[in-house]
Amino acid sequence: MPIRIPDALPATETLENENIFVMTENRAMHQDIRPLKLVLLNLMPTKIVTETQILRKLSNTPLQVEVELLQTVSHDAKNVSEEHLATFYRSFDQIKNERFDGMIITGAPVELLDFEDVDYWDELCTIMEWSKTNVHSTLHICWGAQAAIYYHYGVSKHELDAKCSGVFPHQVVKASSPLLRGFDDVFFAPHSRYTEVSADDIEANDKLELLAISDEAGVYAAKSKDSRHFFVFGHPEYDADTLRLEYERDVARGLDIAVPAHYFPNDDPSQKPHSTWRSHAQLLYTNWLNYYVYQTTPYDLDQVGEAEVAPTNAAEPTTSAEPTAPTTSAKRPAYTVRPTTKSAPGAANSPTHKRTDEFIRPEKEDDDGYDPFSDRPPTPEPLFERDPWA
């Protein structure tokens, strides 16, 4: 299924030219499907470039996704036309009474400022507080991740001696996390920032956990244990030439800046860089969208934020005393229960032998708050046949 975006958005033509499956508003209106509803808070000055990069990553999934673009009104954007903002972006006041399956908050080139000195900090805090009750799962990127982990969990950022810029190798810390499902043991990702969040500070907080790190670049990904907040401190959405453009911009400004690490062939800025992170970046966005948004969000958007508790695997019952919201609604059809009995080989008339349910995940597998069968009806019978037509 495609991503659903406005017909006239500049990203539409770009993505279509890249053979990305894009659904225009006109076509989407004729499909009787409840799409995932996402909101993208774009804090980057290069709004059109950033929205195109992230929409590209959201597009290659079997899900229909509807994206609202959100801007801060307390900051005067200088690198995009007022017409573009007025046509495609909404303000918080315009969406504050709505609910969303997912939210993405981008980075911003303000790392060297104290959070409270950022001109839109109060508005951003209002939006992050609102996300607790109106958004099912939020993905934060780079400075957006630093701001959110500070706001929600009090984890501070630290200034680096020099800008961290380049494409770095990373190691998976929590291989059982669905967010990292399909990742190589070592994967590459771009970073571009002047500050960092310490792995020790994250590990010291009992509500957070590390997912992936780099020996050179530090923390790459972390999440809240309730799977409501995800923090990615790099830029997986970057195009192949984004770091090059940033480097050339900094050089033109007369900054004493190092060549991005592990990026240009032979570390030669005159050579064309290649993307070595595109597949991992696509997988990260797809995994978040699938396992932490689509698989767990309420079918009825009005239920988002209503005493939401991340569902747990049936083999690992929750010990929380808090009430758990129902995982089904009247609008969501229940699974159809099918008998799955199989005769013993060579004995068509012999008593049948029940097969174990091969679709229930192993008891020891870390479900990270995700259970695709959390809304199944209680029954001692397995729910599906592996091949009903055999």
Side-chain angles (χ1 to χ4, degrees):
M1 294 298 291
I3 186 170
R4 175 180 168 181
I5 56 181
D7 300 25
L9 190 71
T12 303
E13 182 177 358
T14 301
L15 298 177
E16 287 178 340
N17 290 337
E18 295 176 8
N19 200 28
I20 300 293
F21 191 4
V22 174
M23 175 175 284
T24 59
E25 290 177 307
N26 181 61
R27 182 177 176 187
M29 288 172 60
H30 295 84
Q31 289 199 334
D32 187 17
I33 294 174
R34 202 285 255 178
L36 290 178
K37 189 175 180 183
L38 304 186
V39 57
L40 168 61
L41 175 57
N42 190 354
L43 302 175
M44 291 291 282
T46 52
K47 295 251 185 302
I48 294 177
V49 171
T50 301
E51 69 199 30
T52 302
Q53 290 174 343
I54 293 179
L55 291 175
R56 182 184 293 119
K57 298 308 175 192
L58 295 173
S59 64
N60 193 24
T61 78
L63 309 170
Q64 185 183 138
V65 181
E66 179 180 338
V67 181
E68 293 277 7
L69 300 177
L70 181 64
Q71 63 169 321
T72 55
V73 297
S74 49
H75 176 76
D76 184 18
K78 299 180 176 63
N79 295 287
V80 64
S81 69
E82 292 184 6
E83 180 183 3
H84 182 80
L85 293 176
T87 303
F88 299 111
Y89 279 77
R90 301 173 71 189
S91 68
F92 175 65
D93 281 344
Q94 291 173 310
I95 68 153
K96 64 183 180 182
N97 295 323
E98 300 180 29
R99 296 175 190 265
F100 294 85
D101 298 297
M103 182 176 190
I104 297 173
I105 299 179
T106 73
V110 292
E111 304 108 285
L112 293 177
L113 294 176
D114 290 339
F115 290 122
E116 291 79 8
D117 291 338
V118 175
D119 59 2
Y120 51 81
W121 177 248
D122 289 343
E123 183 179 4
L124 178 59
C125 289
T126 299
I127 293 172
M128 290 190 292
E129 185 65 26
W130 165 87
S131 73
K132 294 180 181 179
T133 56
N134 288 61
V135 179
H136 180 66
S137 181
T138 304
L139 175 64
H140 311 82
I141 303 169
C142 200
W143 182 82
Q146 295 182 2
I149 206 168
Y150 171 73
Y151 176 78
H152 291 295
Y153 301 101
V155 178
S156 299
K157 63 178 180 178
H158 307 279
E159 186 173 343
L160 298 170
D161 295 332
K163 184 178 183 180
C164 176
S165 176
V167 181
F168 300 94
H170 298 75
Q171 299 80 44
V172 171
V173 173
K174 188 178 181 183
S176 60
S177 171
L179 185 72
L180 308 179
R181 187 163 289 163
F183 276 37
D184 293 326
D185 294 336
V186 176
F187 64 93
F188 292 85
H191 289 258
S192 179
R193 49 185 168 79
Y194 288 92
T195 55
E196 69 173 358
V197 171
S198 164
D200 291 339
D201 290 345
I202 292 175
E203 290 184 310
N205 191 308
D206 60 5
K207 295 181 179 180
L208 299 170
E209 56 185 352
L210 283 174
L211 300 180
I213 60 172
S214 167
D215 292 339
E216 295 181 69
V219 179
Y220 177 67
K223 64 180 282 291
S224 62
K225 290 184 178 178
D226 64 3
S227 299
R228 297 291 299 280
H229 301 286
F230 293 81
F231 311 97
V232 176
F233 298 96
H235 280 286
E237 77 284 354
Y238 268 12
D239 294 326
D241 65 346
T242 305
L243 286 176
R244 176 183 65 80
L245 295 173
E246 290 184 354
Y247 172 71
E248 293 174 350
R249 176 202 63 197
D250 290 345
V251 169
R253 291 175 176 174
L255 300 179
D256 182 15
I257 196 78
V259 174
H262 319 301
Y263 177 58
F264 294 107
N266 303 315
D267 292 329
D268 180 0
S270 67
Q271 297 192 38
K272 181 180 179 180
H274 301 284
S275 173
T276 57
W277 62 91
R278 187 180 295 118
S279 57
H280 129 261
Q282 184 63 65
L283 195 54
L284 183 144
Y285 276 87
T286 300
N287 284 348
W288 171 70
L289 203 58
N290 180 20
Y291 298 121
Y292 296 102
V293 183
Y294 173 68
Q295 298 285 358
T296 62
T297 193
Y299 184 84
D300 185 351
L301 266 176
D302 289 338
Q303 294 181 1
V304 169
E306 295 295 330
E308 277 197 296
V309 176
T312 56
N313 190 290
E316 301 172 359
T318 180
T319 57
S320 173
E322 298 180 4
T324 302
T327 53
T328 59
S329 72
K331 296 182 180 180
R332 178 175 238 166
Y335 289 111
T336 301
V337 180
R338 298 173 62 93
T340 58
T341 56
K342 190 173 184 179
S343 298
N349 297 321
S350 67
T352 58
H353 299 275
K354 292 183 179 179
R355 187 168 55 193
T356 58
D357 189 346
E358 298 165 347
F359 290 87
I360 293 183
R361 293 153 64 234
E363 180 178 351
K364 293 183 179 180
E365 181 178 352
D366 186 337
D367 65 10
D368 227 10
Y370 156 67
D371 180 4
F373 301 107
S374 60
D375 58 354
R376 60 189 170 198
T379 174
E381 298 289 341
L383 296 177
F384 303 99
E385 292 180 341
R386 179 164 293 280
D387 186 358
W389 294 276

